[in-house]
Amino acid sequence: HVQLVESGGGSAQVGGSLTLSCVVSGPNQGNYCLGWFRQAPGKEREGVVAIGSDGNTHYADSVKGRFTISKDSAKDTIYLQLNSLKPEDTAIYYCAADRCPAVVAGAPRYWGQGTQVTVS
């Protein structure tokens, strides 16, 4: 099955930046949608951004203009550039993979272990 490993979380100041990475491996992963989700303490998990195998992207309104997803197919890696960070961006960030309807619905089958982002 598909495996995902995130890295790059950490602490940042308000207005600062971080870059998250997610290495994706496994069968058929090149045909899947990939997405970033986050879960803040005491809150439900929410979708941040998704990218299709065709490169089309869909961002949550809360991060539009501040976060950017990109994909390096040669490295089987997706990135999430987080700019203009706010305290409310503090959360565990997860990358995930599945067919696009599942990712868009917030219910992909394959998840990474998560990486903590703290903004203060």
Side-chain angles (χ1 to χ4, degrees):
H1 61 275
V2 177
Q3 293 183 317
L4 305 101
V5 179
E6 303 99 334
S7 61
S11 298
Q13 294 184 335
V14 173
S17 298
L18 285 172
T19 302
L20 309 182
S21 302
C22 176
V23 179
V24 188
S25 61
N28 300 317
Q29 56 91 2
N31 297 323
Y32 284 158
C33 272
L34 302 172
W36 287 96
F37 293 78
R38 67 185 181 185
Q39 187 165 20
K43 295 188 177 181
E44 293 187 354
R45 185 177 62 212
E46 63 174 350
V48 176
V49 60
I51 185 166
S53 57
D54 58 2
N56 284 336
T57 58
H58 177 76
Y59 290 88
D61 288 342
S62 59
V63 305
K64 279 181 182 177
R66 300 189 300 120
F67 292 5
T68 303
I69 190 171
S70 59
K71 181 166 63 173
D72 185 338
S73 296
K75 295 183 178 179
D76 292 328
T77 300
I78 59 170
Y79 303 94
L80 184 64
Q81 178 67 39
L82 293 69
N83 294 330
S84 302
L85 283 163
K86 304 176 180 180
E88 53 263 43
D89 295 319
T90 295
I92 300 174
Y93 284 71
Y94 300 89
C95 64
D98 205 336
R99 300 188 184 279
C100 289
V103 174
V104 172
R109 286 174 291 172
Y110 308 112
W111 293 88
Q113 81 285 357
T115 186
Q116 177 72 46
V117 170
T118 303
V119 184
S120 59

Short mmCIF file of all heavy atoms in Angstrom, two decimals, residues 20-51:
data_model
loop_
_atom_site.label_atom_id
_atom_site.label_comp_id
_atom_site.label_asym_id
_atom_site.label_seq_id
_atom_site.Cartn_x
_atom_site.Cartn_y
_atom_site.Cartn_z
N LEU A 20 7.13 22.12 4.53
CA LEU A 20 6.89 20.73 4.85
C LEU A 20 7.14 19.87 3.62
O LEU A 20 6.86 20.30 2.50
CB LEU A 20 5.46 20.52 5.34
CG LEU A 20 4.97 21.44 6.46
CD1 LEU A 20 3.55 21.05 6.85
CD2 LEU A 20 5.90 21.40 7.64
N SER A 21 7.64 18.67 3.84
CA SER A 21 7.86 17.71 2.75
C SER A 21 7.13 16.42 3.06
O SER A 21 6.94 16.07 4.22
CB SER A 21 9.35 17.42 2.59
OG SER A 21 10.08 18.59 2.33
N CYS A 22 6.78 15.71 2.01
CA CYS A 22 6.13 14.41 2.17
C CYS A 22 6.60 13.50 1.05
O CYS A 22 6.33 13.77 -0.12
CB CYS A 22 4.61 14.56 2.15
SG CYS A 22 3.72 12.99 2.22
N VAL A 23 7.31 12.45 1.43
CA VAL A 23 7.76 11.46 0.45
C VAL A 23 6.70 10.38 0.34
O VAL A 23 6.27 9.82 1.34
CB VAL A 23 9.12 10.86 0.86
CG1 VAL A 23 9.55 9.81 -0.16
CG2 VAL A 23 10.18 11.94 1.00
N VAL A 24 6.30 10.11 -0.89
CA VAL A 24 5.22 9.16 -1.16
C VAL A 24 5.80 7.95 -1.87
O VAL A 24 6.54 8.08 -2.84
CB VAL A 24 4.13 9.82 -2.02
CG1 VAL A 24 2.92 8.89 -2.14
CG2 VAL A 24 3.72 11.15 -1.44
N SER A 25 5.44 6.76 -1.41
CA SER A 25 5.92 5.55 -2.07
C SER A 25 4.79 4.52 -2.10
O SER A 25 3.85 4.59 -1.31
CB SER A 25 7.13 4.97 -1.36
OG SER A 25 6.81 4.63 -0.02
N GLY A 26 4.91 3.57 -3.02
CA GLY A 26 3.93 2.51 -3.09
C GLY A 26 3.29 2.42 -4.46
O GLY A 26 3.50 3.28 -5.32
N PRO A 27 2.50 1.37 -4.66
CA PRO A 27 1.90 1.14 -5.98
C PRO A 27 0.85 2.18 -6.34
O PRO A 27 0.08 2.62 -5.48
CB PRO A 27 1.27 -0.25 -5.83
CG PRO A 27 1.01 -0.40 -4.38
CD PRO A 27 2.12 0.35 -3.69
N ASN A 28 0.85 2.56 -7.59
CA ASN A 28 -0.16 3.46 -8.16
C ASN A 28 -0.18 4.85 -7.55
O ASN A 28 -1.09 5.63 -7.84
CB ASN A 28 -1.57 2.86 -8.02
CG ASN A 28 -1.69 1.53 -8.74
OD1 ASN A 28 -1.21 1.38 -9.86
ND2 ASN A 28 -2.30 0.56 -8.09
N GLN A 29 0.80 5.19 -6.71
CA GLN A 29 0.72 6.49 -6.03
C GLN A 29 0.79 7.63 -7.03
O GLN A 29 0.28 8.72 -6.77
CB GLN A 29 1.82 6.60 -4.96
CG GLN A 29 3.24 6.38 -5.47
CD GLN A 29 3.90 7.65 -5.90
OE1 GLN A 29 3.35 8.73 -5.81
NE2 GLN A 29 5.14 7.53 -6.38
N GLY A 30 1.40 7.38 -8.19
CA GLY A 30 1.46 8.44 -9.18
C GLY A 30 0.11 8.82 -9.76
O GLY A 30 -0.03 9.88 -10.35
N ASN A 31 -0.88 7.97 -9.59
CA ASN A 31 -2.22 8.24 -10.11
C ASN A 31 -3.15 8.85 -9.07
O ASN A 31 -4.29 9.16 -9.39
CB ASN A 31 -2.84 6.94 -10.63
CG ASN A 31 -2.07 6.37 -11.79
OD1 ASN A 31 -1.55 7.11 -12.63
ND2 ASN A 31 -1.95 5.06 -11.85
N TYR A 32 -2.67 8.99 -7.87
CA TYR A 32 -3.54 9.46 -6.80
C TYR A 32 -3.50 10.96 -6.64
O TYR A 32 -2.55 11.64 -7.03
CB TYR A 32 -3.10 8.84 -5.46
CG TYR A 32 -3.49 7.41 -5.27
CD1 TYR A 32 -2.80 6.60 -4.37
CD2 TYR A 32 -4.53 6.84 -5.98
CE1 TYR A 32 -3.15 5.28 -4.16
CE2 TYR A 32 -4.89 5.51 -5.79
CZ TYR A 32 -4.19 4.74 -4.88
OH TYR A 32 -4.53 3.43 -4.68
N CYS A 33 -4.55 11.50 -6.03
CA CYS A 33 -4.51 12.86 -5.48
C CYS A 33 -3.72 12.81 -4.18
O CYS A 33 -3.80 11.83 -3.43
CB CYS A 33 -5.91 13.36 -5.18
SG CYS A 33 -6.74 14.19 -6.56
N LEU A 34 -2.99 13.87 -3.94
CA LEU A 34 -2.23 14.01 -2.70
C LEU A 34 -2.73 15.26 -1.99
O LEU A 34 -3.07 16.26 -2.65
CB LEU A 34 -0.74 14.13 -2.99
CG LEU A 34 -0.15 12.96 -3.78
CD1 LEU A 34 1.28 13.28 -4.19
CD2 LEU A 34 -0.19 11.68 -2.97
N GLY A 35 -2.78 15.21 -0.69
CA GLY A 35 -3.30 16.36 0.03
C GLY A 35 -2.60 16.58 1.35
O GLY A 35 -1.92 15.69 1.88
N TRP A 36 -2.73 17.79 1.83
CA TRP A 36 -2.28 18.15 3.17
C TRP A 36 -3.51 18.46 4.02
O TRP A 36 -4.40 19.19 3.58
CB TRP A 36 -1.35 19.36 3.15
CG TRP A 36 -0.01 19.09 2.61
CD1 TRP A 36 0.44 19.29 1.33
CD2 TRP A 36 1.12 18.56 3.33
NE1 TRP A 36 1.75 18.93 1.22
CE2 TRP A 36 2.20 18.48 2.43
CE3 TRP A 36 1.33 18.17 4.65
CZ2 TRP A 36 3.46 18.00 2.80
CZ3 TRP A 36 2.57 17.70 5.03
CH2 TRP A 36 3.63 17.61 4.10
N PHE A 37 -3.54 17.89 5.20
CA PHE A 37 -4.58 18.14 6.18
C PHE A 37 -3.92 18.63 7.46
O PHE A 37 -2.71 18.46 7.65
CB PHE A 37 -5.37 16.84 6.46
CG PHE A 37 -6.16 16.35 5.29
CD1 PHE A 37 -5.53 15.66 4.25
CD2 PHE A 37 -7.52 16.55 5.21
CE1 PHE A 37 -6.25 15.19 3.15
CE2 PHE A 37 -8.26 16.08 4.12
CZ PHE A 37 -7.62 15.41 3.09
N ARG A 38 -4.71 19.20 8.36
CA ARG A 38 -4.16 19.60 9.64
C ARG A 38 -5.21 19.43 10.73
O ARG A 38 -6.41 19.48 10.46
CB ARG A 38 -3.64 21.05 9.60
CG ARG A 38 -4.72 22.10 9.42
CD ARG A 38 -4.08 23.47 9.27
NE ARG A 38 -5.08 24.53 9.13
CZ ARG A 38 -4.79 25.81 8.89
NH1 ARG A 38 -3.52 26.19 8.78
NH2 ARG A 38 -5.76 26.69 8.78
N GLN A 39 -4.71 19.24 11.93
CA GLN A 39 -5.60 19.13 13.08
C GLN A 39 -4.99 19.91 14.23
O GLN A 39 -3.89 19.58 14.70
CB GLN A 39 -5.83 17.68 13.48
CG GLN A 39 -6.88 17.53 14.58
CD GLN A 39 -7.37 16.11 14.72
OE1 GLN A 39 -6.72 15.16 14.30
NE2 GLN A 39 -8.56 15.96 15.30
N ALA A 40 -5.72 20.93 14.66
CA ALA A 40 -5.30 21.74 15.80
C ALA A 40 -5.86 21.13 17.07
O ALA A 40 -6.87 20.41 17.04
CB ALA A 40 -5.80 23.17 15.62
N PRO A 41 -5.25 21.43 18.20
CA PRO A 41 -5.74 20.89 19.48
C PRO A 41 -7.20 21.23 19.70
O PRO A 41 -7.60 22.40 19.58
CB PRO A 41 -4.83 21.57 20.50
CG PRO A 41 -3.59 21.90 19.77
CD PRO A 41 -4.03 22.24 18.37
N GLY A 42 -7.99 20.23 20.01
CA GLY A 42 -9.40 20.45 20.31
C GLY A 42 -10.28 20.72 19.11
O GLY A 42 -11.46 21.03 19.27
N LYS A 43 -9.71 20.61 17.91
CA LYS A 43 -10.49 20.88 16.71
C LYS A 43 -10.51 19.67 15.79
O LYS A 43 -9.67 18.77 15.90
CB LYS A 43 -9.92 22.09 15.97
CG LYS A 43 -10.03 23.39 16.73
CD LYS A 43 -9.63 24.58 15.87
CE LYS A 43 -9.82 25.88 16.60
NZ LYS A 43 -9.43 27.05 15.75
N GLU A 44 -11.47 19.66 14.89
CA GLU A 44 -11.54 18.58 13.92
C GLU A 44 -10.46 18.77 12.85
O GLU A 44 -10.01 19.89 12.58
CB GLU A 44 -12.92 18.56 13.26
CG GLU A 44 -14.03 18.19 14.22
CD GLU A 44 -15.36 18.01 13.50
OE1 GLU A 44 -15.44 18.28 12.29
OE2 GLU A 44 -16.33 17.60 14.17
N ARG A 45 -10.08 17.65 12.26
CA ARG A 45 -9.13 17.71 11.16
C ARG A 45 -9.75 18.45 9.98
O ARG A 45 -10.94 18.30 9.71
CB ARG A 45 -8.75 16.30 10.74
CG ARG A 45 -7.68 16.19 9.69
CD ARG A 45 -7.36 14.75 9.43
NE ARG A 45 -8.52 14.04 8.91
CZ ARG A 45 -8.76 12.74 9.15
NH1 ARG A 45 -7.93 12.05 9.91
NH2 ARG A 45 -9.83 12.15 8.65
N GLU A 46 -8.97 19.24 9.30
CA GLU A 46 -9.48 19.99 8.15
C GLU A 46 -8.52 19.85 6.97
O GLU A 46 -7.31 19.70 7.14
CB GLU A 46 -9.65 21.47 8.50
CG GLU A 46 -8.38 22.19 8.85
CD GLU A 46 -8.58 23.69 9.03
OE1 GLU A 46 -9.66 24.20 8.72
OE2 GLU A 46 -7.63 24.35 9.50
N GLY A 47 -9.07 19.91 5.80
CA GLY A 47 -8.26 19.87 4.60
C GLY A 47 -7.59 21.21 4.36
O GLY A 47 -8.19 22.26 4.60
N VAL A 48 -6.36 21.19 3.94
CA VAL A 48 -5.59 22.41 3.67
C VAL A 48 -5.48 22.63 2.16
O VAL A 48 -5.80 23.70 1.65
CB VAL A 48 -4.20 22.33 4.30
CG1 VAL A 48 -3.36 23.55 3.93
CG2 VAL A 48 -4.31 22.19 5.82
N VAL A 49 -5.02 21.62 1.46
CA VAL A 49 -4.84 21.73 0.02
C VAL A 49 -4.73 20.34 -0.57
O VAL A 49 -4.28 19.41 0.10
CB VAL A 49 -3.59 22.57 -0.32
CG1 VAL A 49 -2.33 21.94 0.25
CG2 VAL A 49 -3.45 22.77 -1.82
N ALA A 50 -5.17 20.20 -1.80
CA ALA A 50 -5.02 18.93 -2.52
C ALA A 50 -4.45 19.22 -3.90
O ALA A 50 -4.66 20.29 -4.46
CB ALA A 50 -6.37 18.22 -2.64
N ILE A 51 -3.71 18.23 -4.42
CA ILE A 51 -3.16 18.35 -5.76
C ILE A 51 -3.42 17.05 -6.49
O ILE A 51 -3.19 15.96 -5.97
CB ILE A 51 -1.66 18.69 -5.71
CG1 ILE A 51 -1.12 18.93 -7.13
CG2 ILE A 51 -0.85 17.62 -4.99
CD1 ILE A 51 0.27 19.60 -7.14
#
